Amino acid sequence: MPRFAANLSMMFQEMPFLDRFAAARAAGFTAVEFLFPYDFPAAEIAKRLQDNGLQQVLFNAPPGDWAQGERGTACLPGRQEEFRDSIKKALDYAAALSCPRLHVMAGLAPAGVARDTLTGTYVANLAWAAEQAAPAGVKPVIEPINHRDIPGLFLNTMDQGAAIIAAVGPDRLGLQFDLYHCQVTEGDIVKRVEKHLPIIAHMQVADVPGRNEPGTGEVNWPFVFSRIDALGFRGWIGCEYRPAGETVAGLGWFAPYRA
C-alpha cells in the first residue's frame, strides 16, 4: 500500500505550524514532511515528532534568499561557500529529526551563464553534499519542478534529473519525483515513474491544474497509486498540495490509505 506523508507547510494551515504535527497524526498520518524547519529549534520539532509518533521523511536545505525569489543555490557559480554552509545547517537538523532525505533545490538559471557551466557547478555541489550526508545516513534528492510554478528553474524534467543523478552516482543521490510537476511539464506520469523507478527516493503528489488534493483535478489517482504500489515503490509520497478547503474535509481521497 502506498505510504503518504503530510506536508505541514501546505496542509493544516488552519493552525500554527507546531500544532500541525498533532493534527496530522489525528488525521491518520504516521509521517510528515515540510519545506523548511529553520524558523524553529530542531529540538522543538523533534519533540512534536516524538509526542505524536511521527516520522520526519523530508525537508529542504536552505534555498538562499527565499523572500527575494531565490529557489536554491546548487547550480549557481560563485555561491559554493554559501551552498556548503547551507548543507551543514540542514544536516544538523536532519540529525536532530532523524530525517533520511534532504531536498537540495537547484536554483534559477542566471541569464548569460552557459548551461554547461551551471551543470558543472550543480554536479560538483551535489557530489560534495552527498559526501557530507552519507555518514549521517541521509540521501540528498533533487526535484525537477515545472516551468509554470517556478519559471527559470534550472531543473525541469525527469530525464534531466536522471542525467544529473547518473553523473553524481545513484547510490549517493536520489530523484524526488513530484507527480504534479511531472504532469504539468511532461505528462505520461505512470510511464515516467516506471522508467525512473530505480532512482526514485521520494515522491510527492498534488492534483492538476490547481495543485489541490487528489480528486480535484484531471488525474486518475486510484489508478496511479495502485500502479505505484504494484511497481514495488516502498518510499514515502509527500502530500505537497494546497487543500481546496479545510484540510481534514478534503481527506476523503486518503481514507483507503490511512494507517
Side-chain angles (χ1 to χ4, degrees), residues 32-118:
V32 298
E33 63 174 36
F34 41 67
L35 295 182
F36 309 111
Y38 311 109
D39 288 341
F40 303 92
E44 181 60 38
I45 297 175
K47 184 177 186 301
R48 301 295 173 130
L49 293 168
Q50 182 177 7
D51 288 350
N52 293 288
L54 292 167
Q55 180 180 350
Q56 184 75 41
V57 296
L58 177 83
F59 62 87
N60 293 357
D65 193 336
W66 184 269
Q68 293 300 314
E70 290 193 325
R71 295 297 182 263
T73 60
C75 79
L76 303 181
R79 302 281 292 273
Q80 286 91 334
E81 183 175 353
E82 178 186 349
F83 173 81
R84 292 186 175 197
D85 286 344
S86 76
I87 295 299
K88 292 173 183 176
K89 182 175 183 178
L91 289 175
D92 286 343
Y93 270 82
L97 305 182
S98 300
C99 183
R101 300 285 182 263
L102 178 66
H103 174 210
V104 182
M105 297 189 75
L108 304 178
V113 181
R115 189 165 183 88
D116 285 351
T117 300
L118 299 177

Side-chain angles (χ1 to χ4, degrees), residues 8-250:
L8 301 186
S9 296
M10 301 184 75
M11 302 172 71
F12 302 103
Q13 291 194 29
E14 301 86 358
M15 60 195 71
F17 177 76
L18 291 175
D19 293 339
R20 297 173 194 175
F21 293 84
R25 191 67 185 90
F29 291 96
T30 59
V32 298
E33 63 174 36
F34 41 67
L35 295 182
F36 309 111
Y38 311 109
D39 288 341
F40 303 92
E44 181 60 38
I45 297 175
K47 184 177 186 301
R48 301 295 173 130
L49 293 168
Q50 182 177 7
D51 288 350
N52 293 288
L54 292 167
Q55 180 180 350
Q56 184 75 41
V57 296
L58 177 83
F59 62 87
N60 293 357
D65 193 336
W66 184 269
Q68 293 300 314
E70 290 193 325
R71 295 297 182 263
T73 60
C75 79
L76 303 181
R79 302 281 292 273
Q80 286 91 334
E81 183 175 353
E82 178 186 349
F83 173 81
R84 292 186 175 197
D85 286 344
S86 76
I87 295 299
K88 292 173 183 176
K89 182 175 183 178
L91 289 175
D92 286 343
Y93 270 82
L97 305 182
S98 300
C99 183
R101 300 285 182 263
L102 178 66
H103 174 210
V104 182
M105 297 189 75
L108 304 178
V113 181
R115 189 165 183 88
D116 285 351
T117 300
L118 299 177
T119 299
T121 302
Y122 192 35
V123 169
N125 276 335
L126 290 170
W128 183 90
E131 289 176 5
Q132 306 308 304
V138 177
K139 189 169 191 175
V141 293
I142 57 173
E143 178 187 26
I145 295 177
N146 78 72
H147 55 283
R148 186 173 71 201
D149 283 26
I150 307 182
L153 194 82
F154 179 72
L155 189 65
N156 297 125
T157 71
M158 297 302 161
D159 282 348
Q160 290 171 349
I164 296 296
I165 289 167
V168 175
D171 56 325
R172 303 197 296 161
L173 183 68
L175 183 66
Q176 183 171 316
F177 193 113
D178 189 309
L179 300 161
Y180 163 77
H181 291 307
C182 184
Q183 177 68 3
V184 172
T185 301
E186 306 178 80
D188 208 11
I189 52 177
V190 167
K191 285 296 183 183
R192 297 190 196 282
V193 169
E194 292 172 353
K195 177 180 180 180
H196 296 296
L197 186 66
I199 61 171
I200 296 174
H202 189 77
M203 291 190 188
Q204 289 177 322
V205 64
D207 216 332
V208 180
R211 203 172 187 177
N212 305 127
E213 57 264 53
T216 58
E218 67 191 30
V219 178
N220 181 356
W221 291 110
F223 171 78
V224 172
F225 294 150
S226 66
R227 185 61 186 144
I228 289 171
D229 194 38
L231 288 169
F233 179 72
R234 295 297 176 260
W236 291 95
I237 303 175
C239 301
E240 195 184 41
Y241 64 76
R242 302 183 188 94
E246 194 270 336
T247 300
V248 173

